[in-house]
Amino acid sequence: MKSRRATVELSRLLRDSGGTVVSGGVVSRALSISRQAVWKAVRDLEEEGFVVTSVPQKGYILRELPGYDLAPSLIGSMISSDCPWGGEIHVFGTVPSTQEAAKRIGRQSEIDGLVVIAEEQTKGRGRRERIWISPRGAGLYFSVFFRPRMLPGRLQLVNLAAGLAVREAILTVCGTTVSLKWPNDLLFEGRKICGILSEASSDPERIRDCCTGIGINISLSKEDLAGAGLENAASLGSGTEPVHRGILCAAVIEKFYHLIEGLSADGGKTLLSRYREECSTIGKNVTVLTEEERFAGRAAGIGENGELLVENREGTRSFCAADVVHATPD
């Protein structure tokens, strides 16, 4: 399935109508499309699972929203109209990787903030080419393709923004507080619930495009996680209330967009200030693991480009990309 700007805006218009008739003329003017294009958009919504009644000589009434929580136009319509991201959302049953699909589709398009979602990834991956287990229907797996206005050396700030966006969205939508571990791992009761990967295409002067992939464990049981060798992972949907993945996805996209816009506006000052307040790694004794070494010390802060600053008796070191282990209390 695929949304487009017309189906997203029509979905938003019908949802806002409160079950009353919206005339074809009103829709045509609001969306700046022809009556024939309105009819086509209605048919496309019906294919996504919307129940829309056409009233002759009057217009259209929304009777029922899709039962499928990842209907793309529904997700797009739940994003505020002041956020341009999510105007085109592709939803696949199975893909090797939403990252690869989003980069392929995005680079053939002029759309900024294009989103690719999958029910299942067969080759999902995280940082340092690690495998991200993505079983069908058990999580929210999506990538956002966009074109930020920033220098290549500051890509880590995109990761920080994504981590903040997911943390805030989970709190807003689910009422669950998760901790943010540098650079962008989300932990629930000390176990990983979400992974984030940002990749960029750049030249020496600018980032041409960026793709950020987000995987959130939703409904994997402890047995599922243990069977996949993920004893240190957690699942967001372990509470009593089911998680509507579409609502959560829309919240992440919107919050992520505003953080990226703020990054472009002030060079990261606001983002870094907020991240330093919310990152659970700061102040902890940690061990930093790189491909070359292990470095133990106290996480002293976050640098201007999002790097982790770690200090011990040997001095202070900065790490741009590494695995971090939080020391556990005795």
Side-chain angles (χ1 to χ4, degrees):
M1 286 186 287
K2 169 188 171 183
S3 73
R4 49 194 173 85
R5 185 65 64 184
T7 59
V8 168
E9 292 181 358
L10 176 58
S11 171
R12 184 180 292 120
L13 190 62
L14 291 173
R15 290 177 63 236
D16 290 346
S17 70
T20 61
V21 177
V22 182
S23 74
V26 168
V27 175
S28 178
R29 290 190 295 274
L31 276 59
S32 299
I33 58 177
S34 68
R35 293 290 189 96
Q36 182 66 22
V38 170
W39 181 86
K40 175 65 166 60
V42 170
R43 299 286 82 77
D44 289 343
L45 287 183
E46 290 176 334
E47 289 184 5
E48 291 187 36
F50 289 80
V51 178
V52 181
T53 298
S54 176
V55 182
Q57 310 302 319
K58 290 187 177 181
Y60 304 96
I61 302 175
L62 176 63
R63 299 294 189 187
E64 189 176 329
L65 293 173
Y68 182 46
D69 63 348
L70 292 180
S73 296
L74 177 63
I75 295 174
S77 71
M78 291 188 292
I79 299 171
S80 174
S81 58
D82 67 352
C83 172
W85 287 7
E88 184 173 311
I89 301 175
H90 298 251
V91 179
F92 295 96
T94 300
V95 294
S97 162
T98 60
Q99 280 289 90
E100 299 310 312
K103 286 187 287 187
R104 173 177 52 81
I105 298 169
R107 287 170 183 162
Q108 296 172 352
S109 164
E110 296 298 321
I111 293 174
D112 194 42
L114 178 140
V115 179
V116 170
I117 305 171
E119 281 284 358
E120 174 188 44
Q121 295 181 107
T122 58
K123 295 182 180 179
R125 57 189 174 83
R127 288 182 289 119
R128 301 173 77 172
E129 296 301 318
R130 292 192 178 97
I131 294 173
W132 182 265
I133 303 297
S134 314
R136 178 176 293 275
L140 173 60
Y141 321 118
F142 69 102
S143 293
V144 184
F145 181 90
F146 58 102
R147 297 174 176 86
R149 300 185 299 276
M150 59 188 299
L151 299 174
R154 313 206 78 197
L155 179 64
Q156 183 70 292
L157 298 182
V158 172
N159 281 321
L160 305 192
L164 284 170
V166 174
R167 183 174 189 268
E168 184 180 350
I170 289 175
L171 179 59
T172 301
V173 174
C174 306
T176 301
T177 300
V178 295
S179 61
L180 178 56
K181 175 186 171 187
W182 183 89
N184 52 18
D185 285 344
L186 281 301
L187 308 180
F188 179 61
E189 297 180 345
R191 295 187 296 157
K192 188 169 179 176
I193 203 168
C194 171
I196 297 169
L197 173 67
S198 291
E199 300 173 303
S201 171
S202 62
D203 56 39
E205 297 182 352
R206 65 185 178 93
I207 291 178
R208 291 195 297 269
D209 57 58
C210 183
C211 194
T212 295
I214 297 170
I216 305 174
N217 295 332
I218 299 290
S219 59
L220 284 89
S221 67
K222 290 183 179 180
E223 293 73 22
D224 292 334
L225 293 167
L230 301 174
E231 292 83 357
N232 293 324
S235 186
L236 183 60
S238 57
T240 57
E241 293 295 324
V243 177
H244 191 291
R245 294 175 298 170
I247 295 175
L248 181 59
C249 185
V252 173
I253 292 168
E254 184 171 339
K255 295 177 189 299
F256 188 27
Y257 164 76
H258 287 298
L259 286 166
I260 293 298
E261 279 297 287
L263 173 59
S264 300
D266 68 7
K269 181 179 179 181
T270 302
L271 172 68
L272 284 166
S273 176
R274 181 175 161 193
Y275 186 87
R276 288 163 179 150
E277 290 179 359
E278 298 189 29
C279 179
S280 67
T281 302
I282 297 176
K284 282 189 168 62
N285 291 325
V286 300
T287 300
V288 181
L289 309 175
T290 70
E291 294 182 357
E292 295 80 23
E293 64 172 331
R294 298 167 61 97
F295 187 85
R298 174 180 171 275
I302 304 296
E304 291 303 304
N305 291 316
E307 67 273 26
L308 180 66
L309 307 178
V310 182
E311 61 181 16
N312 62 16
R313 284 178 293 180
E314 299 174 10
T316 301
R317 295 272 302 278
S318 65
F319 297 89
C320 295
D323 290 332
V324 173
V325 179
H326 289 182
T328 55
D330 293 334

